[in-house]
Amino acid sequence: MKIVPASIEIISTEPYEEMLKRVERAGRVCYKSEGSIEDGSAERFIRNILKRGHESVIEHAGITVKVTCDRGVTHEIVRHRLASYSQESTRYCNYSKDKFENQISCIDIANGFSYDLNKEKDRQKYLLWQEAMESAEKYYFKMLELGARAEEARSILPNSLKTEIVMTMDLREWRHFICLRGSKAAHPQIREITRMILKEFQERYPLFFEDLTAE
Protein backbone atom coordinates (compact mmCIF):
# COMPACT_ATOMS: atom_id res chain seq x y z
CA MET A 1 0.00 0.00 0.00
CA LYS A 2 1.19 3.49 -0.85
CA ILE A 3 0.28 6.60 1.15
CA VAL A 4 0.25 9.78 -0.94
CA PRO A 5 -0.64 13.44 -0.31
CA ALA A 6 -3.58 15.23 -1.88
CA SER A 7 -2.60 17.47 -4.78
CA ILE A 8 -3.96 19.59 -7.61
CA GLU A 9 -2.80 20.36 -11.15
CA ILE A 10 -4.09 23.15 -13.40
CA ILE A 11 -4.49 21.65 -16.87
CA SER A 12 -6.10 24.63 -18.61
CA THR A 13 -3.89 26.14 -21.28
CA GLU A 14 -5.62 29.45 -22.10
CA PRO A 15 -3.34 32.39 -21.26
CA TYR A 16 -4.61 34.69 -18.52
CA GLU A 17 -4.49 37.75 -20.79
CA GLU A 18 -6.67 36.03 -23.39
CA MET A 19 -9.16 35.09 -20.68
CA LEU A 20 -9.36 38.72 -19.57
CA LYS A 21 -9.95 39.92 -23.13
CA ARG A 22 -12.68 37.36 -23.80
CA VAL A 23 -14.57 38.18 -20.61
CA GLU A 24 -14.32 41.91 -21.29
CA ARG A 25 -15.53 41.54 -24.87
CA ALA A 26 -18.52 39.46 -23.76
CA GLY A 27 -19.36 41.74 -20.85
CA ARG A 28 -19.25 44.97 -22.81
CA VAL A 29 -22.06 43.72 -25.02
CA CYS A 30 -24.35 44.38 -22.05
CA TYR A 31 -23.54 48.09 -22.17
CA LYS A 32 -22.66 48.34 -25.89
CA SER A 33 -19.32 49.79 -24.83
CA GLU A 34 -17.12 47.70 -27.13
CA GLY A 35 -15.59 50.92 -28.40
CA SER A 36 -13.97 51.41 -25.01
CA ILE A 37 -11.79 48.31 -25.37
CA GLU A 38 -8.12 49.28 -25.29
CA ASP A 39 -4.86 48.13 -23.72
CA GLY A 40 -5.41 47.68 -20.00
CA SER A 41 -9.18 48.16 -20.14
CA ALA A 42 -10.04 44.52 -19.40
CA GLU A 43 -8.80 44.58 -15.82
CA ARG A 44 -10.59 47.84 -15.04
CA PHE A 45 -13.83 46.61 -16.56
CA ILE A 46 -13.80 43.18 -14.89
CA ARG A 47 -12.81 44.50 -11.48
CA ASN A 48 -15.69 46.95 -11.66
CA ILE A 49 -18.31 44.36 -12.59
CA LEU A 50 -17.10 42.00 -9.84
CA LYS A 51 -17.44 44.80 -7.28
CA ARG A 52 -21.00 45.33 -8.51
CA GLY A 53 -21.80 41.60 -8.21
CA HIS A 54 -22.39 41.22 -11.96
CA GLU A 55 -20.69 37.80 -11.92
CA SER A 56 -22.66 36.27 -14.78
CA VAL A 57 -20.15 37.92 -17.12
CA ILE A 58 -17.26 35.76 -15.88
CA GLU A 59 -19.18 32.61 -16.78
CA HIS A 60 -17.74 33.09 -20.27
CA ALA A 61 -14.39 31.71 -19.07
CA GLY A 62 -13.51 28.52 -17.24
CA ILE A 63 -10.64 26.57 -15.72
CA THR A 64 -9.91 22.84 -15.72
CA VAL A 65 -8.16 21.28 -12.73
CA LYS A 66 -7.05 17.72 -11.98
CA VAL A 67 -7.50 16.94 -8.29
CA THR A 68 -5.90 13.97 -6.53
CA CYS A 69 -7.77 13.26 -3.31
CA ASP A 70 -9.67 10.52 -1.52
CA ARG A 71 -12.96 9.21 -2.90
CA GLY A 72 -14.93 10.56 0.03
CA VAL A 73 -13.91 14.10 -0.92
CA THR A 74 -15.01 13.59 -4.52
CA HIS A 75 -18.52 12.72 -3.34
CA GLU A 76 -18.71 16.28 -2.00
CA ILE A 77 -17.01 17.83 -5.04
CA VAL A 78 -19.49 16.40 -7.54
CA ARG A 79 -22.42 17.96 -5.68
CA HIS A 80 -21.40 21.15 -7.51
CA ARG A 81 -23.61 20.58 -10.52
CA LEU A 82 -22.52 23.50 -12.71
CA ALA A 83 -19.38 21.66 -13.71
CA SER A 84 -18.00 18.82 -15.81
CA TYR A 85 -16.20 15.86 -14.25
CA SER A 86 -14.11 12.89 -15.37
CA GLN A 87 -13.02 10.54 -12.57
CA GLU A 88 -10.75 7.53 -12.18
CA SER A 89 -13.08 4.52 -12.19
CA THR A 90 -12.72 1.72 -9.66
CA ARG A 91 -14.98 -0.33 -11.92
CA TYR A 92 -12.35 -0.49 -14.65
CA CYS A 93 -9.11 0.13 -12.73
CA ASN A 94 -7.60 -3.09 -11.38
CA TYR A 95 -5.03 -2.04 -8.79
CA SER A 96 -3.26 -5.40 -8.88
CA LYS A 97 -1.87 -4.50 -12.32
CA ASP A 98 1.66 -3.23 -12.98
CA LYS A 99 0.55 0.27 -13.98
CA PHE A 100 -0.74 0.74 -10.43
CA GLU A 101 2.47 -0.76 -8.99
CA ASN A 102 0.42 -3.75 -7.80
CA GLN A 103 -0.95 -1.86 -4.82
CA ILE A 104 -3.65 0.56 -3.81
CA SER A 105 -2.79 4.16 -2.99
CA CYS A 106 -4.45 6.02 -0.14
CA ILE A 107 -4.55 9.73 0.60
CA ASP A 108 -2.66 10.58 3.78
CA ILE A 109 -5.28 11.32 6.44
CA ALA A 110 -2.70 13.08 8.62
CA ASN A 111 -2.39 16.06 6.27
CA GLY A 112 -6.07 16.86 5.83
CA PHE A 113 -6.84 16.52 9.53
CA SER A 114 -3.59 18.17 10.65
CA TYR A 115 -2.46 15.26 12.81
CA ASP A 116 0.57 15.87 14.98
CA LEU A 117 2.21 12.45 14.91
CA ASN A 118 4.40 13.40 17.86
CA LYS A 119 1.25 13.38 19.98
CA GLU A 120 0.17 9.97 21.24
CA LYS A 121 -3.53 10.29 20.44
CA ASP A 122 -2.95 11.45 16.86
CA ARG A 123 -0.28 8.79 16.35
CA GLN A 124 -2.61 6.03 17.56
CA LYS A 125 -5.41 7.23 15.27
CA TYR A 126 -3.00 7.29 12.35
CA LEU A 127 -1.69 3.79 13.02
CA LEU A 128 -5.23 2.43 13.29
CA TRP A 129 -6.15 4.08 9.99
CA GLN A 130 -3.03 2.69 8.34
CA GLU A 131 -3.85 -0.82 9.59
CA ALA A 132 -7.37 -0.54 8.17
CA MET A 133 -6.05 0.57 4.77
CA GLU A 134 -3.61 -2.33 4.64
CA SER A 135 -6.41 -4.72 5.54
CA ALA A 136 -8.61 -3.33 2.77
CA GLU A 137 -5.81 -3.82 0.26
CA LYS A 138 -5.25 -7.40 1.45
CA TYR A 139 -8.88 -8.44 1.03
CA TYR A 140 -9.29 -6.52 -2.23
CA PHE A 141 -6.45 -8.56 -3.73
CA LYS A 142 -7.87 -11.79 -2.31
CA MET A 143 -11.16 -11.08 -4.07
CA LEU A 144 -9.29 -10.60 -7.34
CA GLU A 145 -7.33 -13.82 -6.80
CA LEU A 146 -10.66 -15.65 -6.44
CA GLY A 147 -11.65 -14.42 -9.88
CA ALA A 148 -13.68 -11.38 -8.92
CA ARG A 149 -13.77 -8.57 -11.44
CA ALA A 150 -12.51 -5.13 -10.40
CA GLU A 151 -16.11 -3.92 -10.27
CA GLU A 152 -16.87 -6.61 -7.67
CA ALA A 153 -13.74 -6.25 -5.58
CA ARG A 154 -14.07 -2.47 -5.39
CA SER A 155 -16.76 -2.86 -2.72
CA ILE A 156 -13.91 -3.48 -0.27
CA LEU A 157 -11.97 -0.34 -1.18
CA PRO A 158 -11.99 2.47 1.43
CA ASN A 159 -13.02 6.12 1.24
CA SER A 160 -9.33 7.00 1.63
CA LEU A 161 -8.51 5.38 -1.71
CA LYS A 162 -6.60 7.80 -3.93
CA THR A 163 -8.62 8.96 -6.90
CA GLU A 164 -8.07 11.49 -9.66
CA ILE A 165 -10.89 13.73 -10.85
CA VAL A 166 -10.73 16.34 -13.59
CA MET A 167 -13.06 19.29 -12.90
CA THR A 168 -14.06 22.05 -15.29
CA MET A 169 -16.04 25.01 -13.97
CA ASP A 170 -16.68 28.51 -15.21
CA LEU A 171 -15.09 31.27 -13.15
CA ARG A 172 -18.29 32.15 -11.33
CA GLU A 173 -18.78 28.57 -10.16
CA TRP A 174 -15.13 28.34 -9.11
CA ARG A 175 -15.68 31.40 -6.91
CA HIS A 176 -18.75 29.75 -5.41
CA PHE A 177 -16.85 26.47 -4.88
CA ILE A 178 -13.97 28.25 -3.12
CA CYS A 179 -16.25 30.27 -0.86
CA LEU A 180 -18.25 27.20 0.16
CA ARG A 181 -15.49 24.59 0.38
CA GLY A 182 -12.89 26.90 1.84
CA SER A 183 -15.00 27.86 4.84
CA LYS A 184 -14.49 26.55 8.36
CA ALA A 185 -17.74 24.60 8.05
CA ALA A 186 -16.34 22.49 5.20
CA HIS A 187 -14.74 19.06 5.63
CA PRO A 188 -11.03 19.41 6.54
CA GLN A 189 -9.84 17.38 3.54
CA ILE A 190 -11.85 19.38 1.01
CA ARG A 191 -10.60 22.60 2.64
CA GLU A 192 -7.07 21.30 2.09
CA ILE A 193 -7.80 20.89 -1.64
CA THR A 194 -9.55 24.26 -1.85
CA ARG A 195 -6.60 26.09 -0.31
CA MET A 196 -4.32 24.55 -2.94
CA ILE A 197 -6.67 25.57 -5.74
CA LEU A 198 -7.10 29.13 -4.49
CA LYS A 199 -3.33 29.60 -4.11
CA GLU A 200 -2.76 28.52 -7.73
CA PHE A 201 -5.68 30.58 -9.02
CA GLN A 202 -4.50 33.73 -7.26
CA GLU A 203 -1.07 33.30 -8.83
CA ARG A 204 -2.31 32.49 -12.35
CA TYR A 205 -5.64 34.37 -12.58
CA PRO A 206 -5.31 37.05 -9.89
CA LEU A 207 -8.08 39.46 -10.89
CA PHE A 208 -10.81 36.83 -10.71
CA PHE A 209 -9.85 35.49 -7.26
CA GLU A 210 -7.90 38.24 -5.47
CA ASP A 211 -10.76 39.01 -3.07
CA LEU A 212 -11.31 35.42 -1.88
CA THR A 213 -9.88 33.57 1.11
CA ALA A 214 -9.93 29.94 2.28
CA GLU A 215 -9.75 29.19 6.00
Side-chain angles (χ1 to χ4, degrees), residues 31 37 65 69 79 86 96 99 121 126 130 133 169 175 182 196 208 211 213:
Y31 313 100
I37 295 175
V65 179
C69 59
R79 291 173 62 193
S86 296
S96 69
K99 67 179 178 179
K121 186 175 181 179
Y126 188 78
Q130 188 174 9
M133 298 305 102
M169 298 181 181
R175 286 174 60 86
M196 294 180 195
F208 299 110
D211 59 324
T213 58

Side-chain angles (χ1 to χ4, degrees), residues 1-6 68-70 95 97-109 126 129-130 132-138 141 157-158 160-164:
M1 183 193 72
K2 182 190 295 186
I3 299 174
V4 298
T68 301
C69 59
D70 80 16
Y95 297 105
K97 301 299 184 183
D98 290 344
K99 67 179 178 179
F100 299 107
E101 301 178 0
N102 312 107
Q103 61 185 333
I104 68 169
S105 294
C106 296
I107 296 295
D108 195 341
I109 193 174
Y126 188 78
W129 169 82
Q130 188 174 9
M133 298 305 102
E134 291 170 349
S135 178
E137 180 185 59
K138 173 184 175 181
F141 285 142
L157 294 172
S160 288
L161 182 75
K162 184 275 298 178
T163 189
E164 295 176 5

Side-chain angles (χ1 to χ4, degrees), residues 37-80:
I37 295 175
E38 60 184 12
D39 288 344
S41 65
E43 289 197 6
R44 293 193 302 271
F45 175 77
I46 295 168
R47 183 170 285 114
N48 183 49
I49 63 172
L50 287 176
K51 285 181 179 178
R52 293 164 58 190
H54 191 15
E55 293 195 0
S56 63
V57 173
I58 64 173
E59 293 176 8
H60 291 288
I63 303 171
T64 300
V65 179
K66 184 173 79 169
V67 175
T68 301
C69 59
D70 80 16
R71 292 194 70 87
V73 169
T74 65
H75 295 324
E76 297 193 27
I77 287 175
V78 298
R79 291 173 62 193
H80 292 263

Side-chain angles (χ1 to χ4, degrees), residues 7-198:
S7 62
I8 65 107
E9 177 187 357
I10 310 296
I11 62 177
S12 292
T13 57
E14 182 180 16
Y16 174 56
E17 292 301 325
E18 293 302 312
M19 187 183 292
L20 290 172
K21 290 177 182 178
R22 181 150 56 88
V23 170
E24 179 190 24
R25 185 172 181 182
R28 284 194 181 276
V29 169
C30 300
Y31 313 100
K32 298 311 298 173
S33 61
E34 295 95 329
S36 298
I37 295 175
E38 60 184 12
D39 288 344
S41 65
E43 289 197 6
R44 293 193 302 271
F45 175 77
I46 295 168
R47 183 170 285 114
N48 183 49
I49 63 172
L50 287 176
K51 285 181 179 178
R52 293 164 58 190
H54 191 15
E55 293 195 0
S56 63
V57 173
I58 64 173
E59 293 176 8
H60 291 288
I63 303 171
T64 300
V65 179
K66 184 173 79 169
V67 175
T68 301
C69 59
D70 80 16
R71 292 194 70 87
V73 169
T74 65
H75 295 324
E76 297 193 27
I77 287 175
V78 298
R79 291 173 62 193
H80 292 263
R81 291 164 176 77
L82 300 180
S84 297
Y85 302 104
S86 296
Q87 185 173 1
E88 177 180 334
S89 172
T90 53
R91 182 180 181 190
Y92 298 108
C93 293
N94 183 327
Y95 297 105
S96 69
K97 301 299 184 183
D98 290 344
K99 67 179 178 179
F100 299 107
E101 301 178 0
N102 312 107
Q103 61 185 333
I104 68 169
S105 294
C106 296
I107 296 295
D108 195 341
I109 193 174
N111 291 338
F113 285 93
S114 302
Y115 283 3
D116 181 350
L117 298 182
N118 291 315
K119 293 183 177 179
E120 181 65 17
K121 186 175 181 179
D122 280 355
R123 189 171 65 85
Q124 288 298 323
K125 287 190 295 184
Y126 188 78
L127 291 174
L128 185 62
W129 169 82
Q130 188 174 9
E131 181 181 345
M133 298 305 102
E134 291 170 349
S135 178
E137 180 185 59
K138 173 184 175 181
Y139 289 108
Y140 171 77
F141 285 142
K142 281 191 174 183
M143 283 280 287
L144 295 174
E145 289 168 6
L146 289 171
R149 297 186 300 275
E151 65 182 355
E152 296 176 77
R154 75 174 184 176
S155 60
I156 291 173
L157 294 172
N159 259 359
S160 288
L161 182 75
K162 184 275 298 178
T163 189
E164 295 176 5
I165 185 167
V166 175
M167 323 163 44
T168 301
M169 298 181 181
D170 66 50
L171 298 180
R172 186 183 193 180
E173 183 61 16
W174 272 120
R175 286 174 60 86
H176 175 246
F177 178 90
I178 289 166
C179 289
L180 188 63
R181 301 304 182 178
S183 73
K184 289 182 178 179
H187 189 278
Q189 288 176 299
I190 204 168
R191 285 210 317 270
E192 178 188 19
I193 290 295
T194 304
R195 286 193 294 267
M196 294 180 195
I197 291 171
L198 180 58

